[in-house]
Amino acid sequence: MGLFWKRKSGDQFISLKLNEPQPAVAAPEQAEQSATRVEETASPMPSPEARYASDSSAAVSGSAPALEPVITGGTPTPLPVETSTAKTVKPHSPPAVHEVEATKPAPAQAYVPSRSPFATSVLGLNLSIEELQAQEAALEQEFSARFRRAVSATRESLSERLDTVFQGLKQIDERLLDELEEALIAADIGVATTQRILETVRRGVARKQINDLDALKAAIKDELLKILRQSEKHGVASETSIAPDVSPYVMMIVGVNGVGKTTTIGKLAQRIKAEGNDVLICAADTFRAAASDQLAIWAERTGVPLIQQKQGTDPAAVLFDALKASKARASDVLIVDTAGRLHNKSNLMAELEKMKRVAGREVEGAPHETLLVVDAVTGQNGLEQARQFLKVAGVTGIVLTKLDGTAKGGIAVAITDELGLPIRYVGIGEKVDDLVVFDPELYVNGLFE
């Protein structure tokens, strides 16, 4: 499924390489012993008498050979047991053959690091590469199934309606195209976007490239994918577009009250933090009563620090404090909550412009993303909100919430087509991990499967 937050480049991650196969190499102490034995082999071998005399002198002087620790891949090496071999050897008699063999050092063994002793690991360090790949494939399948379920209501109103209309027809005519237009508009794909799709279908029918229902669905899918992918050229389609040395990465969240803005902030903080980033939340919605209290609940639940002040404080001042705090603690991401502004309230929109100026003075290029939270249930009203916020707030991307609870999921296509803004995240449920990165291909396939 990939990372949720991909701003850190690959060379910034520390690879422990615990799951990679290790070459068989000797332990440092064993390597030194092997080198010593090679040198001894190259030099003339002393006679048994000379070797015995050396051993006897060492025993008389009372000096014992130094004990070197031996590294193994299993349990710790047991302590050596002292023997009295030197005292029992008779003077002027060469040692027995088995005693000579016993004094020879053990041959070097390949040093193989042990597996992690932990039964479980959040980072997957206890798993092999094959196990991690199988786990990722299972997550991909689960994510695809959840996404299909999220757009099931839209699929029923669009795809199944086409199936009903196409029954008994041997060719695509104007009556079917009229039914197709109604179905697309009912799914909130929008009038302008619907006309674009119909023009493409009509050209395909005239060229006899579209002559059955499967070809018709394929043409609609191709056109929808083209619209969604073109929008990624505008706004901010990925956090990786900002230089990694710019810190903190400032995300400003805007939108009207009731669209799920506070919940989105909590889910964003949780998912970004879960991938090893230091996250800070700024409660700059000081106008609405209990707004900071609601955000504090999410901050406590996710374990993310929250910067807040009393109700009625200048939001730009709260943001200034949060920027200073994030710099002091070297935070990676700062998520800024703003007041639920109605797009026709000029004083609130002016306050939003002031916050952007403050952020830009403190951090280069901030805010790096301005995400507009849109409730998918509102349909075309959400599109009008997006138009107004785009004029003042400089929106760079969309977060589409409650996609799983509406038959009007086509609003995602209408927003990207008319505003040229990418859909960054979508809410497909109420759980923390139900905020996911928007995948155009999964979305379109879910509408027609």
Side-chain angles (χ1 to χ4, degrees):
M1 192 164 57
L3 291 173
F4 182 85
W5 183 259
K6 304 179 290 294
R7 183 164 179 250
K8 289 183 177 179
S9 58
D11 56 355
Q12 288 180 296
F13 290 100
I14 300 175
S15 177
L16 301 180
K17 301 182 179 179
L18 298 183
N19 292 320
E20 298 182 4
Q22 300 291 334
V25 295
E29 293 80 1
Q30 294 174 347
E32 294 178 1
Q33 294 175 4
S34 300
T36 304
R37 288 196 296 273
V38 171
E39 294 177 357
E40 291 177 352
T41 304
S43 61
M45 181 65 67
S47 62
E49 292 78 9
R51 189 185 308 165
Y52 166 73
S54 176
D55 294 342
S56 300
S57 61
V60 172
S61 63
S63 61
L67 297 177
E68 297 292 339
V70 180
I71 298 178
T72 63
T75 58
T77 305
L79 295 175
V81 180
E82 296 182 358
T83 59
S84 57
T85 305
K87 296 181 181 180
T88 59
V89 177
K90 297 180 180 180
H92 305 295
S93 62
V97 176
H98 68 276
E99 293 176 350
V100 175
E101 293 294 333
T103 58
K104 289 183 179 180
Q109 298 180 354
Y111 173 64
V112 180
S114 61
R115 291 286 296 272
S116 173
F118 300 100
T120 58
S121 172
V122 176
L123 299 177
L125 301 182
N126 63 313
L127 303 177
S128 64
I129 293 296
E130 292 76 13
E131 291 171 334
L132 287 173
Q133 290 174 346
Q135 189 180 74
E136 184 176 358
L139 288 174
E140 288 283 0
Q141 294 179 356
E142 179 186 356
F143 173 69
S144 301
R146 289 166 59 196
F147 210 102
R148 285 194 297 271
R149 288 195 299 268
V151 297
S152 60
T154 307
R155 178 173 62 248
E156 291 172 1
S157 68
L158 177 61
S159 184
E160 293 184 3
R161 185 170 180 178
L162 291 179
D163 294 338
T164 303
V165 171
F166 208 84
Q167 287 178 357
L169 296 179
K170 297 182 179 180
Q171 61 180 2
I172 299 176
D173 54 14
E174 283 298 323
R175 186 172 72 86
L176 185 140
L177 294 179
D178 290 340
E179 294 283 351
L180 173 61
E181 181 177 4
E182 292 180 8
L184 293 175
I185 293 177
D188 256 346
I189 289 180
V191 176
T193 308
T194 298
Q195 293 301 323
R196 283 185 53 183
I197 295 174
L198 289 177
E199 288 178 6
T200 302
V201 171
R202 285 191 174 93
R203 286 196 299 267
V205 172
R207 298 171 184 173
K208 301 189 181 302
Q209 297 172 343
I210 302 176
N211 50 19
D212 57 15
L213 182 59
D214 292 336
L216 176 62
K217 287 184 177 181
I220 297 175
K221 287 172 64 175
D222 290 343
E223 191 64 25
L224 293 178
L225 272 176
K226 186 186 302 182
I227 293 172
L228 293 172
R229 287 172 175 164
Q230 283 178 348
S231 67
E232 296 179 354
K233 300 177 182 179
H234 309 282
V236 177
S238 173
E239 61 274 6
T240 56
S241 60
I242 305 300
D245 57 342
V246 176
S247 181
Y249 187 96
V250 181
M251 303 174 66
M252 189 172 290
I253 314 299
V254 301
V256 300
N257 292 330
V259 296
K261 187 159 54 70
T262 304
T263 302
T264 298
I265 292 173
K267 292 180 178 181
L268 274 174
Q270 168 65 24
R271 298 218 59 182
I272 296 174
K273 177 192 173 184
E275 295 180 355
N277 300 280
D278 188 275
V279 184
L280 193 66
I281 299 177
C282 172
D285 184 358
T286 59
F287 291 103
R288 184 168 64 93
S292 296
D293 295 337
Q294 293 177 3
L295 202 58
I297 295 174
W298 272 103
E300 182 179 359
R301 184 183 303 173
T302 59
V304 175
L306 173 67
I307 303 299
Q308 61 179 337
Q309 294 186 16
K310 63 181 181 179
Q311 184 178 352
T313 305
D314 184 2
V318 184
L319 175 58
F320 179 82
D321 292 343
L323 289 167
K324 291 294 185 182
S326 60
K327 287 182 179 180
R329 58 182 289 128
S331 297
D332 299 305
V333 182
L334 174 63
I335 304 177
V336 184
D337 182 25
T338 62
R341 289 164 172 79
L342 294 175
H343 48 269
N344 56 358
K345 297 293 184 181
S346 57
N347 59 328
L348 295 180
M349 300 300 272
E351 185 64 40
L352 183 59
E353 290 182 335
K354 179 181 178 182
M355 294 175 63
K356 292 180 61 177
R357 291 195 301 269
V358 170
R361 285 199 302 264
E362 295 300 319
V363 179
E364 178 184 358
H368 306 104
E369 278 195 76
T370 301
L371 298 177
L372 173 63
V373 182
V374 177
D375 186 346
V377 179
T378 61
Q380 292 296 311
N381 288 333
L383 179 58
E384 179 59 28
Q385 294 171 15
R387 290 194 188 99
Q388 298 299 327
F389 274 99
L390 186 62
K391 295 178 181 178
V392 179
V395 178
T396 62
I398 303 294
V399 180
L400 196 60
T401 62
K402 308 175 188 177
L403 185 64
D404 59 321
T406 179
K408 299 181 178 182
I411 189 63
V413 182
I415 289 176
T416 55
D417 185 33
E418 294 194 27
L419 305 180
L421 291 175
I423 306 278
R424 292 287 281 120
Y425 307 101
V426 290
I428 58 174
E430 298 179 357
K431 298 180 180 179
V432 172
D433 58 349
D434 285 339
L435 182 71
V436 297
V437 178
F438 181 70
D439 188 323
E441 190 170 353
L442 277 179
Y443 169 78
V444 173
N445 289 335
L447 291 179
F448 291 92
E449 289 182 357

